Amino acid sequence: MSSQTPSSGPVPAPSGGERHKPRVAVVFGGRSSEHAISVVTAGAVLRAIDREKYDVLPIGITADGRWALTADEPERMGIAGRELPSVERLAESGEGSVVLPVDPGNREVVYSEPGSVPKALGDVDVVFPMLHGPYGEDGTLQGLLELSGVPYVGAGVLASAVGMDKEYMKRVFVSFGLPVGPYEVIRPREWQQEPSAARRRIVEFAAEHGWPLFVKPARAGSSIGITKVEDPADLDEAIEEARRHDPKVIVEALLRGREIECGVLEYEDGPRASLPAEIPPVSSHSFYDFEAKYIDSAAGIVPAPLTEEQTRRVQELAVAAFEAASCEGLVRADFFLLDSGEFVINEINTMPGFTPISMYPRMWQESGVSYPELVDRLLQAALRRSTGLR
């Protein structure tokens, strides 16, 4: 490939006073097991960004961590049948890389290939990080952007880390008086050195709270690596499956009730909650797993059939969770409405999916905020904020 910027990819933005529109770097893909969903999400966001208002620079991160220049072609970023997209297929080059600045006084992005003179792609005013899971949604990318002095959409370093780690998320919620369900954690060293003790502890947990249990990676999303365990004989296999995605494992008791979700969006005067949604049981799946979410397109009910009092309560809890974790920009808060009538918070997602069937944009659509307006509000909120302590 020549040393010139690829003709089908983004071109350098005008410099100095010639450029008037904010330049958005949409960063997607990444090293986590949610790579494909990140690509799908970014495709939907690229379609929605108002090109009259913003310049756009798509940057994909491959599964092995290379930052690649990609063409602005969202039509290639969807799920085709049961085939998932990847940055590797979208990258303009198999070797070229994109480098963000690390100097807060310089926001110029550079593209380089081996044996070629690096090419400036222009300044970036704001980053829209569409990464899900570790190495992107967990505070690592946010830390890099803080060092670079580049504003970005969504939660900061602490909130991103708390939102990714299900154990510490629950600890924060409990400290703020928010209701959470019973859980246990299996730490890496414990499973490596004392698996029998860990196994015995989980069986005792089940004796108190009942089977089945849900065994999950502590720091993953999109329902990846989760197993519903009905019998102690299946526990080891479920733990090993979770550990394929994260060495730390969380085990949760089954909460019998309805699954309710609520979106939170940052406005100029603070966070507001959307109308909630309900995730109905999926007859073809034992729970709302990855395939139910993204392949078989399980349909949520928006707005959820709740009473006015229930709707108000779950909205209050969603905003309280947003504030407890010091979130910014957006959050999707997931709850169980128990048979007793009590809401229990399951988790928050600081960068929820934006795929065409994702619940977060659907909830805001029903709340009167269109998809393009939602994207614009998130970008404007990021542009209003400074980096650093705030």
Side-chain angles (χ1 to χ4, degrees):
M1 185 170 181
S2 73
S3 62
Q4 298 299 313
T5 302
S7 59
S8 58
V11 296
S15 60
E18 298 176 32
R19 182 164 60 86
H20 303 286
K21 295 186 290 186
R23 197 139 193 254
V24 182
V26 178
V27 181
F28 60 95
R31 295 164 54 191
S32 82
S33 54
E34 298 176 77
H35 177 101
I37 296 308
S38 173
V39 177
V40 175
T41 299
V45 169
L46 286 170
R47 292 187 192 94
I49 292 179
D50 183 354
R51 304 310 176 93
E52 296 295 318
K53 192 171 182 178
Y54 303 98
D55 287 324
V56 177
L57 177 67
I59 300 173
I61 302 178
T62 63
D64 62 3
R66 179 172 62 92
W67 289 51
L69 187 65
T70 67
D72 187 1
E73 298 177 359
E75 65 277 3
R76 296 172 54 200
M77 301 168 72
I79 298 175
R82 305 183 82 83
E83 184 176 352
L84 300 176
S86 69
V87 169
E88 286 77 1
R89 296 179 183 175
L90 297 164
E92 291 288 343
S93 164
E95 296 181 313
S97 61
V98 174
V99 179
L100 288 181
V102 292
D103 177 0
N106 173 26
R107 293 184 179 178
E108 187 172 72
V109 176
V110 174
Y111 175 77
S112 64
E113 289 193 75
S116 300
V117 177
K119 295 293 180 182
L121 298 180
D123 290 356
V124 165
D125 296 291
V126 61
V127 172
F128 204 140
M130 304 309 307
L131 296 157
H132 300 306
Y135 313 111
E137 190 183 349
D138 59 350
T140 50
L141 176 63
Q142 290 74 15
L144 172 64
L145 295 173
E146 292 286 351
L147 289 173
S148 302
V150 180
Y152 54 92
V153 170
V157 176
L158 174 65
S160 296
V162 168
M164 179 54 53
D165 191 311
K166 293 178 175 61
E167 176 193 2
Y168 287 98
M169 181 197 308
K170 292 176 188 294
R171 290 181 180 273
V172 167
F173 291 158
V174 169
S175 73
F176 277 82
L178 298 174
V180 304
Y183 70 95
E184 286 283 348
V185 174
I186 302 175
R187 301 184 183 281
R189 188 179 299 112
E190 181 184 18
W191 188 248
Q192 292 166 358
Q193 298 180 358
E194 299 181 285
S196 59
R199 192 180 302 110
R200 183 168 57 253
R201 183 161 54 85
I202 300 306
V203 170
E204 291 172 354
F205 176 78
E208 180 180 358
H209 299 287
W211 298 89
L213 302 175
F214 288 92
V215 178
K216 307 178 177 181
R219 295 162 292 192
S222 294
S223 298
I224 291 173
I226 298 178
T227 305
K228 183 179 181 181
V229 180
E230 307 273 359
D231 187 274
D234 300 323
L235 189 57
D236 280 27
E237 183 180 352
I239 292 171
E240 291 299 340
E241 170 59 20
R243 281 172 52 82
R244 288 200 310 111
H245 304 279
D246 185 350
K248 185 166 79 166
V249 175
I250 190 165
V251 180
E252 297 175 346
L254 172 67
L255 297 177
R256 300 188 184 280
R258 298 159 61 186
E259 292 191 49
I260 306 295
E261 299 183 348
C262 189
V264 181
L265 177 64
E266 180 182 347
Y267 279 71
E268 290 83 354
D269 59 352
R272 301 183 193 178
S274 71
L275 289 171
E278 180 170 4
I279 308 300
V282 185
S283 58
S284 58
H285 298 264
S286 61
F287 63 98
Y288 195 44
D289 62 5
F290 178 88
E291 291 221 345
K293 284 184 178 180
Y294 300 111
I295 304 297
D296 294 339
S297 305
I301 302 169
V302 189
L306 301 172
T307 66
E308 289 186 13
E309 182 179 351
Q310 289 172 329
T311 296
R312 183 168 57 252
R313 176 59 177 159
V314 76
Q315 289 174 326
E316 290 173 351
L317 286 171
V319 171
F322 182 98
E323 298 281 39
S326 298
C327 294
E328 295 169 293
L330 72 164
V331 149
R332 193 194 73 228
D334 301 345
F335 299 87
F336 291 105
L337 175 54
L338 305 184
D339 296 339
S340 64
E342 177 190 8
F343 280 103
V344 171
I345 186 165
N346 183 36
E347 64 180 25
I348 58 172
N349 281 269
T350 56
M351 187 51 70
F354 272 76
T355 68
I357 62 170
S358 294
M359 297 309 301
Y360 185 84
R362 286 185 59 195
M363 288 187 287
W364 279 108
Q365 179 76 39
E366 290 295 323
S367 304
V369 181
S370 69
Y371 194 14
E373 182 185 352
L374 180 61
V375 170
D376 182 63
R377 281 190 173 277
L378 290 170
L379 289 169
Q380 290 299 314
L383 287 165
R384 285 195 302 272
R385 290 198 303 267
S386 63
T387 53
L389 299 177
R390 55 189 181 275

